[in-house]
Amino acid sequence: MDALLLALLGCLLGEIGDKSQLLVLALATRYQRNGAVIAGIVVAAIANAAISATAGAWIGPMLGADARLLFLSLSVLFLGIGMFWPVTAPDPLAGWPTGAFLTTMLGLFILGFGDGPQFLVLGITTHSGNPVLAAVGGAIGVIAASVPVVLLRDRIFAALPTRAIRLGGGVLLLIAGSVMALSALALF
């Protein structure tokens, strides 16, 4: 259960106010087809989480316990640093000739590939050795961060202090990642 909860909370926190939410907002506003956009979000989140968990399950057995903890700490640090990075609106994919589902699914899959939440799922899987729970938690976290944007549109950004959440979450993740790294290096 640790892998599931860590992935869920970490991915949810990492997605708040991120470019993925801005892309979802643009696509939901453009298409006005909530069901198709939500289905695209779900498929993209599951695909990215599955790729990360598969890679983590492959890498994990090759590493020792301290190296796995260091790998996890680096993924947490990467996510924390990313939360301080200024977020710019991504390309709204206006020129794509595909429908709401396919545009959302491909756009979010490409945008999420190599993003902080994907590395977090990779790090959690590498450390815990439980790819299924890490993938499920990561996918649920991304979905939980994105679906309210589809349903509430701009109102969610007015209701949430996204800048404060990103700064506070970034500090929290940097502290947690640093403690894990120091522990993995036997300095703490």
Side-chain angles (χ1 to χ4, degrees):
M1 286 305 275
D2 289 347
L4 179 100
L5 291 175
L6 287 173
L8 191 153
L9 294 174
C11 290
L12 175 64
L13 183 62
E15 288 292 310
I16 299 220
D18 200 27
K19 58 189 175 285
S20 299
Q21 282 190 327
L22 297 176
L23 178 61
V24 167
L25 175 63
L27 294 174
T29 303
R30 174 175 148 199
Y31 287 110
Q32 297 293 321
R33 294 190 52 218
N34 291 354
V37 172
I38 290 171
I41 291 167
V42 169
V43 171
I46 291 171
N48 273 334
I51 289 170
S52 300
T54 302
W58 180 66
I59 294 170
M62 295 182 217
L63 304 174
D66 288 339
R68 287 193 306 269
L69 182 58
L70 187 59
F71 197 91
L72 174 59
S73 70
L74 290 174
S75 68
V76 171
L77 288 168
F78 176 70
L79 183 60
I81 291 169
M83 293 187 77
F84 291 108
W85 212 263
V87 178
T88 58
D91 176 14
L93 310 177
W96 286 25
T98 55
F101 169 75
L102 197 56
T103 302
T104 303
M105 192 251 322
L106 290 174
L108 284 178
F109 177 76
I110 292 167
L111 191 63
F113 203 77
D115 201 16
Q118 190 176 39
F119 278 112
L120 183 65
V121 171
L122 175 69
I124 291 170
T125 302
T126 301
H127 182 260
S128 71
N130 198 330
V132 174
L133 289 179
V136 169
I140 291 172
V142 171
I143 293 165
S146 301
V147 169
V149 175
V150 175
L151 301 175
L152 299 174
R153 306 280 199 278
D154 285 328
R155 294 183 306 241
I156 193 160
F157 293 114
L160 285 178
T162 54
R163 185 71 183 143
I165 291 170
R166 290 189 65 77
L167 290 176
V171 168
L172 180 69
L173 290 168
L174 287 177
I175 291 169
S178 297
V179 168
M180 284 188 276
L182 291 172
S183 177
L185 296 170
L187 297 173
F188 184 68

